[in-house]
Structure formats: C-alpha cells, structure tokens
Amino acid sequence: MTELRADIKCAIRNQVSQAVDETLITDIHTHIYPHTFEALLLWGIDELLTYHYLIAETMRYLDMGYEHFWALPKRAQAELVWKTLFIERSPVSEACRGVLTTLEKLGLDVSKRDLEAYRKFFAEQKVDKYIDKVFELARVKCVVMTNDPFDDTEIGYWLDSRQRDERFRAALRLDALLNSWHTAVPKLKEWGYNVSSEINSQTVSEVRRFLVEWLNRMNAVYMAVSLPPSFAFPEASPRGQLISECILPTARETGKPFAMMIGVKKLTNPALRLAGDSVGKANIDVVEYLCANYPDVKFLVTMLSRENQHELCVAARKFRNLHVFGCWWFLNNPSLIDEITRMRLELLGLSMTPQHSDARVLDQLIYKWAHSRRIIAEVLTDKYADLAAAGWQATEQEIRRDVGALFGDNFWRFVG
Ligand code: RAT
Ligand code: ZN
C-alpha cells in the first residue's frame, strides 16, 4: 500500500465534509417535543444553562447545598451556572463548549460574555418559527422523541387530538412499566387495564393491549427502555417477565424494534436529581441471548459504558437483528465519539447509526450535531483515504450515499 498524497487526502476531506454537512439527519433519540406540547418543549438560554450535564459540573465547584440550588428559580440557577462555569473559569468541558457553539451559530457574539443580551435574543423568538430555524441550522430532518405514557404531563397531549408535526416522531418509552412495575400497576388500573401486581395471563394480555394501543396512538417508531448495568435476561423479576411475555411478543407482532439503552446507574447521587445518574459496565451476554433467541425481534442497542463498546460491535457482527446506535450521554464527547466511530466502521462497516443527539433542549440540536458531524467527517475521511491508498476511490455520489446511510437511512431501513 502506497502513502496517500496530501493533496488527495485534502480533496477527500473536502468531499466528505461537504456530504456530512449537507446531509439532513434523522436524530433517532432526543427528549424534545413539538411546540404543541407547550411547556414540555425546553428552549432558550436559561434551559441551555440548566442542562443537567452542566448542573453536575457546576456543583463540583460550589459549597452550596444541593437543596439550596434546587430551590432557586430557574433564572438564578442559570446565572449561577454561567458565573461558575463560564465567567470564573474557562468553559472547556464538552457541555460548556456546546452552549457557546449554539450561541455562535445563532449569530450571537460569545466574546461579549453577555448573558442579558442572549436572554433578550431568545425573548424575541416566536417558538414555532424558532423550531424551524434550529432544524435548519442543525440540518436535522426529523427527530425521534422520548414519549412516556406514565408521565402525567405528557399523557394529556396524546389524549387530545392536536395537530401533529411530522418532524417529531414518537418512541414509546417504557422505563416506568419495566423498571418500577409496582408504580405502573395502579396507573394501568386507573386507565382501565385489568392488571394485577402478579404477572398472570390476564395481566399479560392487558399489558399487551396497553402497548399496542399506545404504539398506535403515538404512531411510535420503536419501544424503548433504559436499563441498569445489572440488567439480566431471562430473569424471574417483573421486568424479566414483562419483557418475555409482553414486550418481545408485541415487538414481533407489530414489527416495532425494542430499543435497549443499557448501563445507567440511576441516582448514584440522589441529591443531584436528574444529574445524579452514573454508569456501569453491563453484561453483553444478555444482548447476545436476546438476539439469538428472538431472531424475529429487532433490537436497537446503545450502551453507556466505554468498556462495553467493543463487545457490542462484535455482537452486532453476529446478529443482523441488532442495530447499534449512538454515543450515549457520557460517551458524547469528542475523544470518545472519535474512538467509538472508528471502531464501529472497522468492525461493522456502514451498518450502524453512529450518533443521536439526546437533546433535552431544542437549541442543543445545533451544537450536538455540529460537534458530532465534525468528528464523523474526520473519521470517514481517514477511512476513504485508506481505501484510496489501496487504489479504491469512492465517488462523490458513493460518499453521499454512505453518509445518508449513517445519518438516517440505515435506521429507517432497520425500522422497516
Ligand atoms: O442524556 C441524558 O439526558 C440522560 O439524562 C437520559 O435522558 C438518557 O439519555 C435517557 O434517555 O435515559
Ligand atoms: Zn436520552
């Protein structure tokens, strides 16, 4: 293999960057909503600053009690984050940098460090037009939401027939059902499902009725759950029984994938609330067991621990009903995206979805995708350069096809 000339690599980089920048993305896991979901849609500078990633970072520098922080109004929390992470020290963390990228791409002058000016800009935006602007700047075509029928606020928006926004697709999130069955039971009963704490045949058929009704009501593209590192299957627990008797049969019958987000240790520090979750290495055998024993069920899987990434790729080589996606949460950092994306391309070729944004605040689509795009483009450049060194020059059209696959086409093909 000959060494590739620098100008050829540069030409490849230009072609790849252009394709990566211009391809409109399907963002397959987010926590944002259309504006018809009113207060559920978070946007603007105070929401950006009170992102739970930034709260965790802020609290490391403060002596203030956690409860004292939570008792502050959101504006005051945002001001404290701004002062602590942006003014008193340089905002080098990925989540801090993200705020700056977002403001800068919105045309604001970050060099001024002028929180009030940023607030004024957001106060002048009309939310529906602003959504268009963010989607345009992020070059995102559509997003998949996280939709929890056990969330009292969210449920109302699904039960009335307000107009849907096709850019926002639903995912039926089942953490409450699978991870806290005892709290799900009274709610299911209240909604008219004839269930009991014991998972007997009546309960199984009623939970399946619940799943199908909600999949239809939301027109959901998949079912999803976040799972602890200790996740085991098969298992005699309510979760194990519900997965085997309700989720998997429903996934098979409806053709909807079951998305498993594995490796979160909930509330390691409960005082930090949403910012208090941590990570642990999970057991890949569980993923392999499910894929092997349920070949007619589609599994979308992301794992939170860096240590699980290699074996997850190997598992996906063995099972085509397993679609690996995203660099989730604590992995959504440049050095890790680079490493994980390289490894996935080397082991899986283009048969995966390298990233999702996990945006909780609308505006985050701008920075999460700007940052990820840059890294993915660089990794792809190296890969196409390696091919060129072997005498295989990918055409512009081929590069665009491949980027399209990574940024949504693979996902839609898998979903069916
Ligand atoms: O990344 C996050 O914001 C986490 O808090 C979680 O939402 C995680 O992505 C999840 O979907 O459970
Ligand atoms: Zn998420």
Side-chain angles (χ1 to χ4, degrees):
M1 199 166 73
T2 50
E3 190 61 39
L4 195 68
R5 276 183 13 220
D7 59 327
I8 299 181
K9 176 125 186 207
C10 186
I12 293 173
R13 176 172 290 112
N14 289 342
Q15 267 189 345
V16 171
S17 301
Q18 211 178 342
V20 164
D21 285 346
E22 288 173 7
T23 302
L24 294 179
I25 286 172
T26 295
D27 189 344
I28 76 168
H29 170 63
T30 73
H31 299 259
I32 57 174
Y33 301 88
H35 79 278
T36 46
F37 281 53
E38 297 167 347
L40 282 176
L41 171 64
L42 306 181
W43 62 283
I45 185 66
D46 287 347
E47 298 296 349
L48 285 169
L49 288 172
T50 52
Y51 186 31
H52 69 87
Y53 293 23
L54 289 175
I55 290 177
E57 290 171 31
T58 302
M59 295 313 277
R60 293 186 53 72
Y61 297 109
L62 300 180
D63 292 328
M64 175 187 281
Y66 296 111
E67 285 313 312
H68 184 167
F69 177 85
W70 293 118
L72 296 172
K74 181 157 280 172
R75 270 178 83 85
Q77 291 178 0
E79 280 156 18
L80 193 54
V81 171
W82 178 250
K83 177 168 163 286
T84 310
L85 297 183
F86 292 79
I87 302 301
E88 292 177 350
R89 42 191 65 76
S90 296
V92 295
S93 78
E94 173 63 6
C96 284
R97 180 171 77 111
V99 175
L100 303 181
T101 302
T102 304
L103 296 178
E104 200 263 330
K105 290 203 179 287
L106 284 165
L108 296 164
D109 183 355
V110 293
S111 72
K112 293 253 166 56
R113 295 155 163 74
D114 186 351
L115 180 56
E116 289 316 312
Y118 310 144
R119 280 180 166 157
K120 187 162 173 287
F121 166 83
F122 287 102
E124 285 161 1
Q125 307 303 311
K126 288 249 175 306
V127 66
D128 50 341
K129 291 275 171 308
Y130 185 64
I131 294 177
D132 298 346
K133 182 177 188 146
V134 169
F135 271 65
E136 216 173 284
L137 280 174
R139 290 182 308 290
V140 166
K141 180 165 50 185
C142 79
V143 303
V144 181
M145 306 178 275
T146 296
N147 304 105
D148 180 359
F150 290 90
D151 180 317
D152 293 332
T153 330
E154 179 160 353
I155 194 169
Y157 294 106
W158 290 107
L159 294 176
D160 74 13
S161 54
R162 56 190 68 209
Q163 225 192 330
R164 305 276 177 237
D165 180 336
E166 283 307 311
R167 289 171 300 182
F168 292 80
R169 303 300 304 272
L172 177 59
R173 183 71 176 239
L174 297 168
D175 287 32
L177 182 81
L178 295 177
N179 294 332
S180 57
W181 173 239
H182 60 287
T183 53
V185 169
K187 289 206 164 189
L188 288 166
K189 280 186 178 157
E190 186 191 318
W191 300 328
Y193 297 99
N194 194 1
V195 296
S196 59
S197 299
E198 187 207 339
I199 301 170
N200 52 29
S201 61
Q202 170 78 19
T203 299
V204 164
S205 88
E206 283 295 88
V207 170
R208 286 172 65 169
R209 181 165 74 87
F210 162 82
L211 292 172
V212 170
E213 284 178 3
W214 275 95
L215 282 170
N216 290 338
R217 179 172 289 128
M218 293 174 167
N219 190 20
V221 286
Y222 58 78
M223 296 178 275
V225 66
S226 76
L227 295 158
S230 59
F231 173 51
F233 188 89
E235 196 184 52
S237 62
R239 181 174 58 217
Q241 284 175 277
L242 289 162
I243 290 178
S244 106
E245 293 178 47
C246 304
I247 305 289
L248 297 171
T250 303
R252 183 186 293 121
E253 274 159 31
T254 60
K256 304 278 181 192
F258 180 38
M260 299 186 293
M261 307 176 69
I262 310 171
V264 54
K265 282 201 286 198
K266 285 281 177 199
L267 295 179
T268 299
N269 181 355
L272 269 175
R273 301 190 185 176
L274 190 56
D277 298 346
S278 186
V279 59
K281 185 178 186 296
N283 185 355
I284 197 70
D285 296 350
V286 182
V287 176
E288 291 183 346
Y289 178 92
L290 280 160
C291 292
N293 286 280
Y294 298 88
D296 43 6
V297 172
K298 295 184 266 191
F299 297 96
L300 283 159
V301 176
T302 196
M303 297 181 88
L304 193 51
S305 163
R306 182 187 186 187
E307 288 66 34
N308 279 127
Q309 300 310 315
H310 181 250
E311 51 199 15
L312 179 60
C313 283
V314 176
R317 289 177 66 88
K318 309 299 142 193
F319 300 105
R320 63 184 168 183
N321 57 335
L322 169 56
H323 188 84
V324 173
F325 75 97
C327 298
W328 181 25
W329 199 344
F330 310 113
L331 298 173
N332 194 349
N333 290 301
S335 60
L336 298 172
I337 301 168
D338 181 274
E339 166 186 302
I340 294 167
T341 307
R342 269 176 215 282
M343 179 169 60
R344 287 176 179 168
L345 286 171
E346 286 159 14
L347 279 163
L348 297 173
L350 295 157
S351 66
M352 45 93 187
T353 298
Q355 189 57 307
H356 65 269
S357 77
D358 233 312
R360 280 185 175 267
V361 181
L362 171 71
D363 329 49
Q364 290 172 340
L365 289 178
I366 299 172
Y367 93 77
K368 300 240 187 193
W369 282 114
H371 292 187
S372 288
R373 268 191 165 100
R374 218 170 102 185
I375 301 157
I376 293 168
E378 205 44 47
V379 175
L380 283 173
T381 298
D382 286 348
K383 294 300 162 206
Y384 289 117
D386 288 347
L387 297 183
W392 180 283
Q393 259 111 26
T395 65
E396 189 187 328
Q397 207 186 359
E398 285 167 341
I399 292 173
R400 284 185 184 273
R401 172 203 60 199
D402 297 347
V403 172
L406 295 175
F407 283 172
D409 294 349
N410 283 340
F411 168 76
W412 289 116
R413 198 166 74 98
F414 187 74
V415 165

